[in-house]
Amino acid sequence: MAIFQIRGGQALRGTVRTSGRKNSAVAVLPAALLADGPVRLDNLPQILDVAVMVELLRTLGARVQADGAGTLWVDGAGTGAAIADARWAGRLRASYYLLGALLSRHGEADVPLPGGCDIGLRPIDQHLKGFAAMGAEVRIAHGMVSLRARQLRGAHIYLDVTSVGATINLMLAAARAQGVTVIENAAKEPHVVDVATQLLAMGASIIGAGTDVIKVRGVQRLHGCTHAIIPDEIEASTYLIAATATGGDVVVENLIPRHLEPVIAKLAEAGAVLEEGGDWVRVRGPRRCSAVHVKTQPYPGFPTDAQQPMTSLLTTALGTSTVTETIWDGRFRFVDELLRMGARVTVAGRTAVIESVTQLTGASVTATELRGAAALLLAGLMAQGASTLDAGQTLDRGYEAVEQKLAGLGADVQRLSAPPVYALPWGEAMHVGAAGWDGGAEHRR
Ligand code: EPU
């Protein structure tokens, strides 16, 4: 379990580099299984979710080898189509991408229902509706999703909700199907485009990724490629919000500023001064932020994954702010913990009303999911005095070397527990225990 001690009150200053995007990384790894040849993936973040996905690929029989920090070769030759062990698949949401990837490669897939952060109902009906439209027989029994298709056929699929996961999964299934698949009301998130870019480099035929209509013309074979994943705009947003909230002056490097526009716009509205260059954004926080109203939306709206850190920032902003969450129905659970730190927030349905307090005060708090953990860490940085954050395995799922990056900005954050152990083969010291992430029996292949 990861326990952090944070002594707040320091304005963050300096430069921090963004890692590769978590939600791309967990999609491009399964997408590599579609190729009849090795795929090289660069700029992968060293986080638990990537480690779990690597473990899942290896469980399936894929060869995954390191080639320097952040680079993996994935060879899907020799993979089977079934994951029998629910333990690994249940550890992250993105295990659902194995459904589309295995269905595409083998015409069948048996994958346990996915896990992931507890942020409200997370159905996968739109994924399954799309697979069925393409001719797959879909069965759910004993917590396992089973898909069977003699020949996947292109189909016209309208998504009833704009779903990132369903859009990517259906692109994977369609890439080697017979004929043309049209995905309407598709998600436009940059990682949808990132996966499409990788599939194109593998020889797929896709147009429209990044718009709400994507057309995929199936091809018989896909080949190996090299693909570098895009920077993590949620990680970058978290550092920009933290810098603003502490009245700091920080340059966040290695990012695509356009992907952060909704966050940049809201920070400016709250009183921050922002500058941007080709691959960096500098933020200078005001002495005290002003209240703003935030509503989460699918891209290019304000991202739900940055909502929680923004809520922490607004606890001390002058005036009354509102934050409305439209994507997930359980993303305000961390607010209870903010109250321990002196925040004045009430939640009614999907809206949090945040009344200003002059200062948060340090407290012992517990996070139950990834972005809630980031929000509480940020609240600790803003607070007067010391806080202890019990983050379980949440923060390490999505933030690479978070305490080192914050220390580089002058924050006083100590990890009191042992450092995380990863299945990634990027360092001999990084092993994941079969019994758990915190140092069980060594588990390497
Ligand atoms: N939805 C359905 N049916 C479906 C799929 C989704 O009703 O079949 C609903 C969901 O309940 C939700 C909305 O549609 O209300 C959007 O869900 P989406 O499918 O887009 O989310 P996801 O693919 O499960 C990904 C990210 C999340 C991020 C959301 C929204 C991954 C692995 N996860 O989830 O990331 O919040 O998109 O942008 O890519 C995070 O990084 O902290 C995180 C939770």
Side-chain angles (χ1 to χ4, degrees):
M1 294 297 126
I3 313 274
F4 296 89
Q5 189 179 67
I6 311 136
R7 284 183 205 283
Q10 305 282 345
L12 300 186
R13 290 186 196 285
T15 300
V16 62
R17 194 173 164 78
T18 314
S19 299
R21 191 182 187 114
K22 169 181 87 82
N23 289 343
S24 272
V26 293
V28 298
L29 283 160
L33 298 184
L34 269 60
D36 293 330
V39 172
R40 179 189 156 121
L41 297 170
D42 293 324
N43 201 33
L44 290 162
Q46 299 194 38
I47 53 174
L48 280 179
D49 273 10
V50 167
V52 174
M53 186 54 84
V54 166
E55 193 57 35
L56 281 167
L57 298 188
R58 287 174 162 175
T59 303
L60 281 164
R63 284 179 57 213
V64 184
Q65 277 177 351
D67 192 357
T71 295
L72 290 177
W73 286 91
V74 180
D75 188 348
T79 49
I83 292 193
D85 187 345
R87 278 183 315 166
W88 297 104
R91 283 175 187 259
L92 85 167
R93 190 78 198 149
S95 54
Y96 54 35
Y97 290 134
L98 294 170
L99 287 168
L102 296 176
L103 184 64
S104 188
R105 188 176 177 108
H106 298 292
E108 59 182 52
D110 291 292
V111 177
L113 279 163
C117 283
D118 181 12
I119 49 179
L121 282 180
R122 300 188 76 174
I124 58 165
D125 57 304
Q126 299 303 305
H127 306 230
L128 302 181
K129 166 179 131 169
F131 297 142
M134 295 171 74
E137 185 192 310
V138 179
R139 193 164 166 261
I140 300 182
H142 308 294
M144 186 76 96
V145 184
S146 298
L147 306 175
R148 298 286 179 273
R150 274 216 187 90
Q151 171 67 64
L152 280 179
R153 296 180 308 272
H156 202 112
I157 302 159
Y158 176 83
L159 297 180
D160 299 327
V161 286
T162 306
S163 159
V164 176
T167 302
I168 292 177
N169 233 343
L170 296 177
M171 285 198 308
L172 297 182
R176 287 170 50 150
Q178 202 173 56
V180 176
T181 299
V182 180
I183 308 167
E184 301 239 32
N185 196 23
K188 300 187 282 247
E189 266 69 1
H191 44 298
V192 173
V193 180
D194 202 24
V195 176
T197 306
Q198 178 195 4
L199 291 172
L200 286 166
M202 286 160 59
S205 169
I206 302 174
I207 54 171
T211 75
D212 54 10
V213 183
I214 300 177
K215 286 188 189 161
V216 184
R217 183 178 294 281
V219 297
Q220 274 192 340
R221 292 168 65 84
L222 295 173
H223 50 74
C225 74
T226 294
H227 178 70
I229 70 166
I230 56 174
D232 194 320
E233 104 287 12
I234 301 300
E235 187 202 20
S237 298
T238 305
Y239 290 114
L240 290 176
I241 295 170
T244 304
T246 58
D249 182 352
V250 166
V251 176
V252 185
E253 289 183 336
N254 187 39
L255 49 72
I256 299 171
R258 188 173 168 67
H259 293 169
L260 281 92
E261 284 312 328
V263 173
I264 289 173
K266 276 295 156 189
L267 290 179
E269 211 179 306
V273 177
L274 294 116
E275 288 169 62
E276 51 185 80
D279 68 349
W280 56 267
V281 174
R282 177 181 179 190
V283 67
R284 276 170 286 168
R287 278 174 62 120
R288 191 152 179 203
C289 288
S290 313
V292 294
H293 302 292
V294 175
K295 186 175 184 180
T296 64
Q297 298 281 347
Y299 187 82
F302 192 93
T304 171
D305 299 340
Q307 175 265 101
Q308 290 152 299
M310 194 67 187
T311 299
S312 291
L313 174 146
L314 293 173
T315 54
T316 58
L318 263 180
T320 301
S321 304
T322 57
V323 175
T324 303
E325 171 61 56
T326 71
I327 312 292
W328 302 115
D329 53 20
R331 241 186 177 170
F332 284 126
R333 290 180 189 145
F334 74 108
V335 163
D336 262 350
E337 300 298 286
L338 278 184
L339 301 185
R340 289 178 197 276
M341 303 177 76
R344 286 177 62 203
V345 184
T346 48
V347 178
R350 291 198 163 202
T351 299
V353 179
I354 306 158
E355 288 175 82
S356 179
V357 294
T358 318
Q359 176 96 62
L360 295 178
T361 50
S364 255
V365 290
T366 303
T368 54
E369 44 84 21
L370 170 61
R371 308 300 173 190
L376 294 173
L377 183 60
L378 167 48
L381 296 172
M382 294 164 65
Q384 187 183 50
S387 297
T388 308
L389 168 63
D390 179 350
Q393 295 175 350
T394 57
L395 258 188
D396 293 319
R397 290 186 53 189
Y399 290 88
E400 180 174 309
V402 64
E403 72 274 32
Q404 281 104 306
K405 289 193 183 189
L406 283 171
L409 297 176
D412 186 347
V413 178
Q414 314 281 338
R415 187 188 289 262
L416 301 183
S417 47
V421 279
Y422 296 107
L424 298 172
W426 286 320
E428 282 306 304
M430 295 168 137
H431 310 310
V432 62
W437 290 107
D438 292 313
E442 190 176 295
H443 190 78
R444 267 191 301 160
R445 234 159 286 167

